[in-house]
Amino acid sequence: MKRLLMPFLLPLLLLIGCAKAPITGRTQIMMVTPQQEKAMGFQAEKEILKKEKLSTDQALIARVRRIGMRIAKATELNLDWKFYVIEKPDVANAFCLANGHVFIYTGILKYTDNDAQLATVMAHEIGHAIAHHVAEQVSMAMVTNIAATAAAIAIEHNVKSSTEEAAYMAALGLGANMGIVLPYSRMLESEADHIGLMLMAKACYDPRESIKFWKKFAKKGKEPIVYFSTHPSSAQRIEQLTELMPQAMKIYRQSGCEKSVSAADSPL
């Protein structure tokens, strides 16, 4: 079987590039360039703007932009930052595309009591973008697909019974999803929490408010079983944020943030 896999794995190893995630320093698998990732972002933005209704609440739009720009400044990246508010009170979601364009659904606002809690959400999404998580997920999908193809060929050549082959193929698919795809997605979410916490602290948003946000968000309804989910549970997020809080508070205090809290941090 190893001899069958080698023709697939050797070119795969040559294609894989490595990068480092900001703040965490984690080594990443990259088979997609930043230019390709940005192009995917612009294409996604076109599709989103075609089908979604943008909010006309100028006060809310201004507030989201102000919070977002403070976090964007903390990244020290000169991206074309833009901030959109989508009028969907029943959708508690937000995301940041690779081009630096952030989308906030109005449904998430019911879980935020102040600017710092909304900053928790926005910093998390911006964390995904600056860590190139879209490119990394696409890269991981490419690696997984190539490896799965190689394994499928090996199974086909080494298993004689069609019934046994079907069982192996089913196990292969389930194993790839449960053992690689979902855990990897949860890991990226946890990393975005980590990056986001440090960004909000650097932007002078009290990082302790992140835990308050996730406690409130946890009450929105029953969460899926973690092992079958793309996201960690709210409890797992809170545990990680609690462990990282001393580091975040050090950044917050060193920046003199506690002395400079202003109306910008007022309740929504």
Side-chain angles (χ1 to χ4, degrees), residues 10 20 24 38 48 52 71 101 107 110 121 126 137 159 164 176 182 187 192-193 205 207 223-224 253:
L10 288 177
K20 292 283 187 182
T24 67
K38 280 188 179 180
I48 294 162
E52 300 289 18
I71 298 167
H101 296 184
K110 70 182 78 170
V121 177
I126 288 173
Q137 283 186 309
V159 177
E164 190 177 357
L182 292 179
M187 183 268 291
D193 283 344
Y205 287 110
E223 296 185 330
R253 289 174 176 135

Side-chain angles (χ1 to χ4, degrees), residues 45-61:
E45 182 176 14
K46 287 180 183 178
E47 298 302 318
I48 294 162
L49 293 176
K50 281 180 185 177
K51 66 179 184 179
E52 300 289 18
K53 178 186 176 183
L54 296 180
S55 173
T56 57
D57 184 337
Q58 294 305 311
L60 176 58
I61 293 167

Side-chain angles (χ1 to χ4, degrees), residues 63 66 70 114-116 203-206 260-267:
R63 177 165 262 171
R66 174 168 42 76
R70 273 173 62 173
N114 52 46
D115 282 7
C204 282
Y205 287 110
D206 189 338
S260 61
V261 175
S262 67
D265 305 298
S266 60

Side-chain angles (χ1 to χ4, degrees), residues 4-264:
L4 284 166
L5 290 173
M6 289 307 293
F8 292 92
L9 296 181
L10 288 177
L12 175 60
L13 292 173
L14 293 174
L15 284 171
I16 292 175
C18 291
K20 292 283 187 182
I23 297 178
T24 67
R26 178 182 59 85
T27 300
Q28 301 170 286
I29 294 173
M30 287 295 177
M31 296 174 69
V32 176
T33 67
Q35 293 75 20
Q36 291 171 322
E37 186 187 32
K38 280 188 179 180
M40 288 188 283
F42 281 115
Q43 183 57 43
E45 182 176 14
K46 287 180 183 178
E47 298 302 318
I48 294 162
L49 293 176
K50 281 180 185 177
K51 66 179 184 179
E52 300 289 18
K53 178 186 176 183
L54 296 180
S55 173
T56 57
D57 184 337
Q58 294 305 311
L60 176 58
I61 293 167
R63 177 165 262 171
V64 166
R65 187 180 188 281
R66 174 168 42 76
I67 296 169
M69 287 307 298
R70 273 173 62 173
I71 298 167
K73 185 178 179 181
T75 69
E76 300 181 6
L77 294 176
N78 187 27
L79 295 179
D80 177 32
W81 298 103
K82 288 184 181 178
F83 303 90
Y84 297 98
V85 179
I86 297 175
E87 191 62 50
K88 268 196 174 178
D90 57 333
V91 177
N93 195 18
F95 54 87
C96 179
L97 301 176
N99 54 9
H101 296 184
V102 181
F103 293 78
I104 301 293
Y105 287 77
T106 54
I108 198 71
L109 299 177
K110 70 182 78 170
Y111 303 105
T112 61
D113 295 325
N114 52 46
D115 282 7
Q117 290 180 21
L118 182 53
T120 299
V121 177
M122 297 181 71
H124 168 92
E125 300 304 336
I126 288 173
H128 276 306
I130 68 171
H132 303 286
H133 283 171
V134 169
E136 191 172 1
Q137 283 186 309
V138 172
S139 300
M140 178 53 67
M142 294 166 68
V143 171
T144 303
N145 287 340
I146 293 171
T149 300
I153 292 173
I155 290 170
E156 185 180 349
H157 282 76
N158 286 271
V159 177
K160 304 305 179 184
S161 165
S162 59
T163 302
E164 190 177 357
E165 181 180 336
Y168 273 117
M169 293 300 291
L172 176 64
L174 181 62
N177 190 48
M178 298 293 292
I180 300 174
V181 177
L182 292 179
Y184 203 83
S185 179
R186 292 193 295 270
M187 183 268 291
L188 295 184
E189 289 296 326
S190 294
E191 183 170 71
D193 283 344
H194 183 161
I195 295 170
L197 186 69
M198 302 310 159
L199 287 178
M200 68 181 289
K202 190 175 178 181
C204 282
Y205 287 110
D206 189 338
R208 291 168 293 195
E209 292 295 319
S210 64
I211 292 177
K212 294 179 184 178
F213 166 78
W214 284 112
K215 283 182 177 179
K216 188 172 183 179
F217 194 79
K219 296 177 182 178
K220 73 180 179 66
K222 187 177 180 181
E223 296 185 330
I225 298 171
V226 171
Y227 294 111
F228 296 95
S229 177
T230 56
H231 290 58
S233 68
S234 296
Q236 288 175 324
R237 290 182 188 271
I238 290 168
E239 182 180 0
Q240 178 187 234
L241 292 171
T242 300
E243 290 175 358
L244 292 170
M245 197 56 63
Q247 182 184 349
M249 288 304 298
K250 183 178 180 181
I251 293 171
Y252 184 67
R253 289 174 176 135
Q254 285 178 340
S255 301
C257 297
E258 289 181 310
K259 298 178 182 179
S260 61
V261 175
S262 67

